[in-house]
């Protein structure tokens, strides 16, 4: 080793933020895929048996999931830009995105399976 080399230990807090950012991007992608999947399945003959209000509610839950995931990513980017710690709002947005994704996809799958049976 030379005298000029420095050993920099990774900051565990930054690792969590990077993971949260990647996870929020993943949740956004899943929300968009879920919206596309529900719209596609709702146009099928079995999907047309499902009331439009229920399909709209599930799409709304997925849209909220995407919005929360995008809000989480934006919070992290703003904090990085200002060189401040990431606030609790980003973590809350991530959890809300997971919740709305589960409600939207899970709710539609339950209704879809009941329609098929």
């Amino acid at each position: 080793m030379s005298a000029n080399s420095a050993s920099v230990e990774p900051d565990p807090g930054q690792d969590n933020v990077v993971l949260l950012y990647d996870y929020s991007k993943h949740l956004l992608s899943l929300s968009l895929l879920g919206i596309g999947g529900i719209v596609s399945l709702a146009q099928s003959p079995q999907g047309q048996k499902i009331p439009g209000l229920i399909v709209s509610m599930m799409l709304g839950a997925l849209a909220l999931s995407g919005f929360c995931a995008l809000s989480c990513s934006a919070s992290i980017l703003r904090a990085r830009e200002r060189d401040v710690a990431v606030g609790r709002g980003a973590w809350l947005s991530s959890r809300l995105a997971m919740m709305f994704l589960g409600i939207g996809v899970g709710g539609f799958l339950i209704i879809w399976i009941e329609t098929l049976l």
Side-chain angles (χ1 to χ4, degrees), residues 14-93:
Q14 289 295 4
D15 286 346
N16 290 340
V17 172
V18 170
L19 287 174
L20 180 63
Y21 180 75
D22 286 341
Y23 188 62
S24 66
K25 290 190 308 183
H26 180 69
L27 287 174
L28 179 59
S29 298
L30 288 176
S31 297
L32 293 173
L33 286 171
I35 288 172
I38 288 177
V39 169
S40 296
L41 289 174
Q43 293 176 354
S44 70
Q46 295 87 2
Q48 291 179 357
K49 296 176 186 174
I50 301 172
L53 179 63
I54 293 176
V55 172
S56 298
M57 287 172 38
M58 298 304 118
L59 288 174
L62 287 173
L64 283 172
S65 173
F67 177 76
C68 289
L70 193 60
S71 174
C72 177
S73 297
S75 296
I76 293 169
L77 290 174
R78 276 193 306 273
R80 280 285 182 93
E81 182 180 65
R82 295 176 183 154
D83 200 26
V84 296
V86 175
R88 291 180 46 134
W91 299 95
L92 177 64
S93 293

